[in-house]
Amino acid sequence: MAAWNKMGRAFQQGSLSRLGLEKLDMVLLHCPPSPVFSKDEVFEALDSLKSAGKIASYGVSIEKVSEGLSAMKYPISAIEVVFNMFRLKPTEELFPMAKNKGVGIIARVPLASGLLTGRYDENTKFGEKDHRTTNRNGERFDKGETFSGVDYATGLKAVAELKALFGTEDLIPYALKWILMHDEVSVVIPGASKASQVSSNVRAAETPELSKEQMEGVKAIYDKYIRQSVHGLW
């Protein structure tokens, strides 16, 4: 535990210094190797930081549902997980357990690296160093971080049906609202590099609740195009 404590305190103190704070509201253990989520000494070190008043709460950022289930054996406050219309597995075991334990869910990669914006097509080009060019098969890091692990061409087929389902070319408000329709979700963290993208993201809060038919339609499209290649991996 001593090594984890020393390492954790060093990183935590560095963050406090850079932010000019006395306490961090939340610290997330970000996507370490799976065995780390079962190491008592890791969470004991986080408990030590909390007891010392350096952090208010802590949680984990995961790639796989199994990692979140393991982490909930410890007193975590939040789980950050890839969750979107192309990643439904967390609803099966992770969400119910998190709700039962009072653990918040932070939904990341909510637009599947942009696929669920509805703005990409077969002619879309990404930068040479963009992970959407270089990591489609997991060449640089976990494949699930890029398009949620979905084959690009297959994803476009699913997006076409989602556009028909919602009757729009702009899927952003609906993709984000779909996530917010799940009570277990505490917050969604879509990315943005332009003010217009922030505005587009915010519109999700003003979007009317999705109908039962729309929710069922999303699942049907997932089952048709996505489930077989993605569901068992994460």
Side-chain angles (χ1 to χ4, degrees):
M1 178 181 172
W4 285 102
N5 239 328
K6 183 177 180 181
M7 185 185 305
R9 287 181 183 278
F11 282 117
Q12 167 267 329
Q13 191 56 52
S15 295
L16 289 176
S17 298
R18 287 187 293 274
L19 293 169
L21 299 174
E22 295 183 358
K23 178 190 287 187
L24 299 175
D25 291 329
M26 171 71 72
V27 169
L28 293 176
L29 188 64
H30 190 77
C31 297
S34 293
V36 172
F37 294 98
S38 297
K39 286 186 177 292
D40 292 349
E41 59 266 34
V42 172
F43 295 92
E44 288 170 0
L46 289 166
D47 282 332
S48 177
L49 289 171
K50 186 175 180 180
S51 296
K54 296 299 184 180
I55 61 176
S57 56
Y58 64 83
V60 295
S61 184
I62 62 174
E63 298 286 4
K64 301 177 181 178
V65 164
S66 59
E67 295 169 344
L69 299 178
S70 294
M72 278 191 281
K73 291 183 291 187
Y74 303 97
I76 63 174
S77 297
I79 294 176
E80 184 186 62
V81 60
V82 175
F83 182 57
N84 56 52
M85 290 176 170
F86 287 169
R87 186 72 71 85
L88 273 59
K89 187 174 181 178
T91 63
E92 295 177 353
E93 290 185 77
L94 188 73
F95 281 18
M97 183 180 288
K99 184 176 182 178
N100 184 55
K101 289 180 173 289
V103 175
I105 295 292
I106 303 170
R108 64 187 178 91
V109 197
L111 298 175
S113 305
L115 252 181
L116 287 169
T117 64
R119 296 173 180 175
Y120 300 164
D121 59 29
E122 62 276 6
N123 297 313
T124 300
K125 301 296 182 183
F126 302 100
E128 290 183 6
K129 297 183 179 180
D130 193 308
H131 72 101
R132 290 169 293 187
T133 298
T134 63
N135 194 59
R136 293 193 183 187
N137 297 302
E139 295 92 337
R140 293 173 52 198
F141 42 82
D142 192 285
K143 177 182 174 181
E145 297 286 346
T146 301
F147 300 132
S148 294
V150 176
D151 170 74
Y152 185 70
T154 302
L156 290 178
K157 293 178 182 178
V159 164
E161 294 209 12
L162 287 170
K163 288 180 178 180
L165 174 66
F166 292 106
T168 181
E169 290 292 310
D170 181 12
L171 288 177
I172 294 174
Y174 297 95
L176 297 179
K177 188 67 176 186
W178 179 88
I179 296 173
L180 294 171
M181 292 289 290
H182 296 80
D183 292 339
E184 299 88 347
V185 174
S186 301
V187 64
V188 185
I189 50 173
S193 59
K194 302 176 182 177
S196 60
Q197 293 172 338
V198 174
S199 298
S200 180
N201 292 338
V202 169
R203 284 203 301 274
E206 303 167 354
T207 301
E209 290 196 356
L210 305 187
S211 68
K212 179 181 178 182
E213 290 73 22
Q214 288 172 326
M215 296 296 288
E216 291 176 347
V218 171
K219 184 178 183 301
I221 292 168
Y222 174 83
D223 289 342
K224 179 179 179 180
Y225 291 102
I226 310 298
R227 177 180 289 272
Q228 184 174 355
S229 62
V230 168
H231 201 80
L233 298 181
W234 292 283

